[in-house]
Amino acid sequence: MALVGTDKDMSFYIGREASKLWKRFCAEITTEINLLADNWKYLLGGFICQYIHGLAARGVHYFHRPGPILQDVGFYLLPELGQDRAYISETVFTTIFLSFIMWTFHPFIFKTKKIYTVLIWCRVLAFLVGCQFLRIITFYSTQLPGPNYHCREGSKLATLPPPDNILQALLIVPRGMLYGCGDLIFSSHMIFSIVFVRTYQKYGTRRFIKQCAWLAVIAQSFLIIASRKHYTVDVVVAWYTVNLVVFFIDKTLPELPDRTSALLLPVTKDSKSKEENHKLLNGNSGDPAEWRPRTQINGKIVEDGKTVHEAVINGV
């Protein structure tokens, strides 16, 4: 009998939590759709610029001419991984890339909501577009012989034949993105990684994850050079250019609203309108069990394990 009761309690608990999760997801969908209606132009413009960047990278491949690999300090200091282990750097990059994407969608699942997905991507795309604009100017100014294996003399992929028609010129295929040549200064992988990690550094809350993310980007820098995918100058230029671009663009953009700054009160019979306003602000399901007091610390999100001495609770 005790086991039967335990199974019933567990089923009831799972059903209740699933219902809360679904309500939370639907509330967040509503919130993000409202934000998307106001900001879709920025997102569309950012994604179009991503296509233009890919098109420019493919275009410079037509001008690439293989030649002797240039002298490079990183090539002397770091042993060559070889083609069989070139996947290591791509694995690190993919981990950073996918982890960041999943983090930007965490408000749909978790109770604690620090960011708005639409707004954070508007900001990230602005950073990427600024860096990629400079990158296009740079690699079209001077075409260097690619150090990657498929860009060296004797490789059939080192050069591209002229396109047969306009459609072939405008079509970007995944194979072309993986085996491009000529778009060297500065590293596109480093652009994405630094932008993503800097964004999480500012809006994330897990100090340990921040430290691991920066270590991953540093490791990726060495792996890119060891894989001979870029010259050392491509990585070095990326480090200071991307950080400077993000710093200055971030100063010009309006700050994201802090979802942790609202002081939440218990629901009463006369607080329907307050509940609706709270749902629109925080994307919560409206379940009183999910409401908790949250504080804003000097306009910044508090990290886990960080002692704070000055707290300002909005609305008090």
Side-chain angles (χ1 to χ4, degrees), residues 14-15 23 56 110 215 241:
I14 294 175
K23 290 179 181 179
F110 295 100
L215 289 176
T241 303

Side-chain angles (χ1 to χ4, degrees), residues 28-261:
E28 190 66 25
I29 285 287
T30 302
T31 302
E32 295 292 346
I33 288 177
N34 292 333
L35 291 172
L36 184 62
D38 295 332
N39 298 278
W40 67 270
K41 295 180 181 179
Y42 304 110
L43 291 175
L44 180 61
F47 288 121
I48 290 176
C49 289
Q50 296 306 300
Y51 168 76
I52 294 175
H53 172 256
L55 200 64
R58 177 175 173 81
V60 79
H61 196 165
Y62 290 108
F63 299 102
H64 178 258
R65 294 295 178 268
I69 298 177
L70 304 179
Q71 293 187 13
D72 190 281
V73 174
F75 291 179
Y76 286 114
L77 298 179
L78 296 176
E80 188 171 350
L81 288 179
Q83 289 181 282
D84 296 337
R85 290 180 292 179
Y87 68 90
I88 298 177
S89 65
E90 288 298 328
T91 301
V92 175
F93 172 74
T94 303
T95 301
I96 297 173
F97 191 90
L98 295 180
S99 298
F100 180 79
I101 291 178
M102 289 190 292
W103 171 74
T104 61
F105 285 92
H106 83 268
F108 291 88
I109 304 297
F110 295 100
K111 293 180 182 180
T112 305
K113 304 174 186 301
K114 304 298 184 183
I115 60 170
Y116 295 98
T117 301
V118 169
L119 298 184
I120 201 71
W121 275 108
C122 287
R123 205 173 194 87
V124 168
L125 287 171
F127 298 152
L128 293 176
V129 170
C131 295
Q132 290 165 345
F133 175 75
L134 296 177
R135 182 174 189 261
I136 292 172
I137 294 176
T138 305
F139 65 64
Y140 266 102
S141 299
T142 303
Q143 289 86 46
L144 303 178
N148 210 334
Y149 303 103
H150 63 269
C151 298
R152 299 177 184 180
E153 294 177 316
S155 173
K156 295 180 180 180
L157 300 174
T159 57
L160 285 180
D164 298 329
N165 50 62
I166 187 65
L167 181 61
Q168 185 179 358
L170 297 177
L171 183 63
I172 300 177
V173 295
R175 181 178 176 82
M177 296 173 62
L178 294 174
Y179 294 97
C181 298
D183 56 326
L184 292 174
I185 302 178
F186 42 97
S187 170
S188 181
H189 284 59
M190 294 302 300
I191 290 177
F192 280 93
S193 297
I194 295 175
V195 167
F196 288 174
V197 174
R198 277 190 63 110
T199 302
Y200 186 80
Q201 176 70 33
K202 183 174 182 179
Y203 298 106
T205 59
R206 305 289 183 180
R207 183 183 301 180
F208 177 73
I209 296 180
K210 294 179 182 181
Q211 295 170 347
C212 291
W214 281 115
L215 289 176
V217 177
I218 293 172
Q220 180 185 276
S221 302
F222 292 108
L223 289 171
I224 288 175
I225 299 171
S227 300
R228 304 303 188 251
K229 295 180 179 180
H230 279 278
Y231 293 107
T232 304
V233 65
D234 307 337
V235 175
V236 172
V237 171
W239 267 104
Y240 62 77
T241 303
V242 176
N243 279 290
L244 287 173
V245 170
V246 172
F247 174 80
F248 285 111
I249 293 181
D250 187 62
K251 292 294 184 182
T252 63
L253 295 177
E255 189 51 73
L256 295 183
D258 182 12
R259 302 188 74 169
T260 66
S261 62

Side-chain angles (χ1 to χ4, degrees), residues 23-24 27 30-31 259 262-291:
K23 290 179 181 179
R24 192 182 309 136
T30 302
T31 302
R259 302 188 74 169
L263 179 64
L264 308 180
L265 300 175
V267 179
T268 63
K269 295 181 180 179
D270 300 327
S271 62
K272 287 288 185 180
S273 59
K274 293 182 179 180
E275 177 182 342
E276 294 299 324
N277 290 336
H278 172 264
K279 287 166 65 177
L280 290 177
L281 175 65
N282 275 359
N284 289 336
S285 63
D287 191 333
E290 297 182 12
W291 290 21

